[in-house]
Amino acid sequence: MTAYGIAHLREAAPHPEIAEYIERITATFEPYGGRFLVHGAQHEVKEGSWPGHVVVIGFPGIAEARAWWDSAAYQEIAPLRSRHIEGDIILVEGVPDGYDPAVTAKALRDSLTS
C-alpha cells in the first residue's frame, strides 16, 4: 500500500544549507522507491491557515518510507533543513485499493449506538 512522507514547512530565510538539502534529498529517497509528488508548488488555503510550504513524497509502502527516514543518507542531510526551517513531518499509509469510506462511517455510527 502506498505511503507518504508529508511535510508542512514554515517560511524560512534563504540559506545555502537549504539549497544543498534540496540538491541532495532526491538521492536519499530514490533507493527506497520514493518520488516527489508535491514540491515547490503554490497551494490554495480553503479553510484555516497553512503558512509555509507543502512537500509530499510517495513511497511504495510504509516500510520503505521508514527506511528512507532512518537511512544514514537522509539523516546526514536532515540538519541542513532543520537548522533553518521549522515544520511538521509525518509518514502515513494511504488507503488500500477498494477503500470504501461508507464502511468507516458505518463503524462510526455503530459505535455511537452501542
Side-chain angles (χ1 to χ4, degrees):
M1 175 175 353
T2 303
Y4 305 92
I6 302 172
H8 176 202
L9 303 175
R10 308 311 185 272
E11 294 290 341
H15 193 280
E17 286 190 340
I18 296 170
E20 181 180 350
Y21 174 85
I22 293 168
E23 290 167 346
R24 295 175 59 187
I25 190 171
T26 301
T28 70
F29 60 65
E30 282 183 336
Y32 303 96
R35 67 182 187 92
F36 277 119
L37 301 176
V38 177
H39 188 250
Q42 294 293 329
H43 62 274
E44 185 174 332
V45 178
K46 294 298 191 181
E47 288 187 30
S49 65
W50 193 288
H53 304 280
V54 180
V55 177
V56 180
I57 302 169
F59 291 90
I62 196 71
E64 292 86 352
R66 288 179 181 138
W68 161 70
W69 181 265
D70 294 336
S71 72
Y74 183 70
Q75 290 303 310
E76 179 183 323
I77 69 165
L80 299 173
R81 173 194 43 78
S82 64
R83 282 194 288 260
H84 306 286
I85 303 174
E86 290 185 31
D88 303 303
I89 300 173
I90 63 170
L91 301 179
V92 62
E93 284 186 298
V95 297
D97 288 341
Y99 172 75
D100 182 356
V103 173
T104 302
K106 182 180 180 327
L108 175 61
R109 288 186 184 283
D110 291 349
S111 73
L112 294 171
T113 60
S114 48

